[in-house]
Amino acid sequence: MEEVDHIWMDGDLVDWNDAEVHVLTHALHYGSGVFEGIRAYDTGEDTVVFRLDAHLDRFFSSAEPYGIEIPFSRDEIEDAIYRLILENGLESCYIRPIAFYGYEELGVNPADCPVRVAIAVWPWGAYLGEEALENGVRVQVSSWRKYRSDMIPTNAKTTGTYINSLLATTEADRRGFEESILLDADGYVSEGPGENIFLVNDGEIITPDISSSILEGVTRKSVITIAEDLGYEVDERRVSRGELYTSDELFFTGTAAEVTPIRAVENVDIGEGTKGPITDEIQQAFFETVEGEREQYSDWLFRVQ
Ligand code: PMP
């Protein structure tokens, strides 16, 4: 990863290499942390954080099921993010806030552990590669299922649960695919390891709803709005595995992955086996939105100042 000068830790800026924790940190052993992934874009004039309000909402609500009381206000976290981007001299970057149980006791109950908070920013290009944004990725259907919301909250972005994503991602890599799709515990389509998924069929756009254990992505929500504004109908419902193979187009959405076309599932080409026309239209609208070229979505952009 590309290192920058400073990381924000528990209220202070520290040098990148000094942002350390004790090896007996609760979260290292039990995954007891929550985090966000956010992007800032260069509009040519300003640096803007995309939908910072929605990401901060999710950051604070992710903490609730675990009793993680973040010892900073929303405003303090927002200011810290701006300050960090400015101090590090970045124009576009990825932003990673994390709140986690620190070091005190190592029983599973974290009651005595302090809540630590850190924010890092660094330049991060296209998550699945520039080539993927243009021509799409080949994905497998993971043999690992997405955990269900009565096992672990699926609407919280919890550090420990990314071991489920790790299994799906590394399995894809070993099998020669670029990414995975996970089915839910009932065998319906859920999402990617770090992305939501959309299908296009006969001009209609479809995406799994919350009953399929998805994380409700900020990009997902934005793409639904953009697609509807472009005149498409978007159906949020359960999606069967078979529909993946018969759809005209498929694409992933996510802060890291942005809008990435899927060109094949398990050696079956989707559509023409490249980026589909509706995916292209939505992807273009998305990039114009985050780069400040679409006035109607200007309230999604938070100027770094
Ligand atoms: N699902 C999972 C499991 C994720 O990790 C992410 C990335 N945060 C998403 C979906 C997409 O969410 P967002 O658009 O808010 O980044």
Side-chain angles (χ1 to χ4, degrees), residues 35-37 55 58 94 146-147 157 162 165 191-196 214-221 253-256:
F35 68 105
E36 268 306 312
H55 283 288
R58 191 171 64 189
Y94 182 83
K146 174 78 195 243
Y147 55 88
K157 206 165 157 57
Y162 279 79
S165 297
E191 60 181 357
E195 307 92 355
N196 292 112
I214 63 165
L215 180 77
E216 281 183 278
V218 173
T219 322
R220 174 184 180 276
K221 213 171 274 179
T253 65
T255 297

Side-chain angles (χ1 to χ4, degrees), residues 26-288:
H26 195 274
L28 180 61
H29 295 254
Y30 306 124
S32 54
V34 297
F35 68 105
E36 268 306 312
I38 312 172
R39 269 190 195 270
Y41 290 90
D42 180 8
T43 67
E45 284 167 25
D46 302 306
T47 294
V48 293
V49 181
F50 184 62
R51 303 205 76 167
L52 181 57
D53 55 347
H55 283 288
L56 290 180
D57 282 347
R58 191 171 64 189
F59 187 48
F60 279 84
S61 62
S62 289
E64 285 179 33
Y66 308 109
I68 295 175
E69 288 181 20
I70 297 175
F72 295 93
S73 69
R74 272 180 69 109
D75 285 352
E76 286 171 319
I77 301 287
E78 181 174 348
D79 287 347
I81 289 172
Y82 296 153
R83 184 166 158 225
L84 199 54
I85 293 172
L86 292 170
E87 292 274 345
N88 284 306
L90 295 169
E91 278 160 358
S92 61
C93 62
Y94 182 83
I95 304 162
R96 168 58 58 86
I98 181 169
F100 58 96
Y101 284 115
Y103 163 64
E104 181 64 40
E105 294 290 339
L106 214 47
V108 171
N109 186 342
D112 294 330
C113 294
V115 172
R116 309 281 309 271
V117 185
I119 308 169
V121 298
W122 67 90
W124 199 358
Y127 180 64
L128 296 168
E130 282 297 330
E131 153 77 13
L133 289 178
E134 206 39 55
N135 296 318
V137 286
R138 289 176 62 244
V139 304
Q140 68 150 3
V141 177
S142 173
S143 71
W144 296 99
R145 297 288 180 91
K146 174 78 195 243
Y147 55 88
R148 209 170 53 196
S149 199
D150 59 354
M151 303 171 182
I152 300 174
T154 50
N155 56 344
K157 206 165 157 57
T158 313
T159 60
T161 61
Y162 279 79
I163 206 69
N164 181 238
S165 297
L166 178 152
L167 289 167
T169 304
T170 54
E171 185 186 65
D173 191 39
R174 276 200 305 274
R175 292 187 63 218
F177 293 92
E178 288 148 280
E179 190 55 299
S180 271
I181 296 170
L182 290 100
L183 305 179
D184 69 16
D186 299 323
Y188 291 93
V189 176
S190 178
E191 60 181 357
E195 307 92 355
N196 292 112
I197 188 168
F198 285 76
L199 298 75
V200 181
N201 217 355
D202 291 333
E204 190 198 18
I205 297 174
I206 302 143
T207 192
D209 68 350
I210 55 165
S211 70
S212 289
S213 301
I214 63 165
L215 180 77
E216 281 183 278
V218 173
T219 322
R220 174 184 180 276
K221 213 171 274 179
S222 309
V223 159
I224 291 172
T225 303
I226 289 171
E228 286 174 344
D229 291 347
L230 289 170
Y232 294 104
E233 269 191 40
V234 183
D235 197 3
E236 295 179 57
R237 61 162 171 83
R238 286 197 138 183
V239 171
S240 73
R241 175 172 179 170
E243 288 179 272
L244 292 174
Y245 301 87
T246 58
S247 58
D248 300 330
E249 301 179 32
L250 292 177
F251 61 90
F252 281 133
T253 65
T255 297
E258 299 167 308
V259 176
T260 298
I262 297 171
R263 64 183 164 90
V265 178
E266 296 279 353
N267 300 325
V268 176
D269 277 354
I270 303 304
E272 304 290 314
T274 182
K275 174 164 55 171
I278 295 178
T279 305
D280 189 44
E281 187 184 1
I282 289 172
Q283 190 191 49
Q284 265 188 40
F286 174 79
F287 279 115
E288 287 171 14

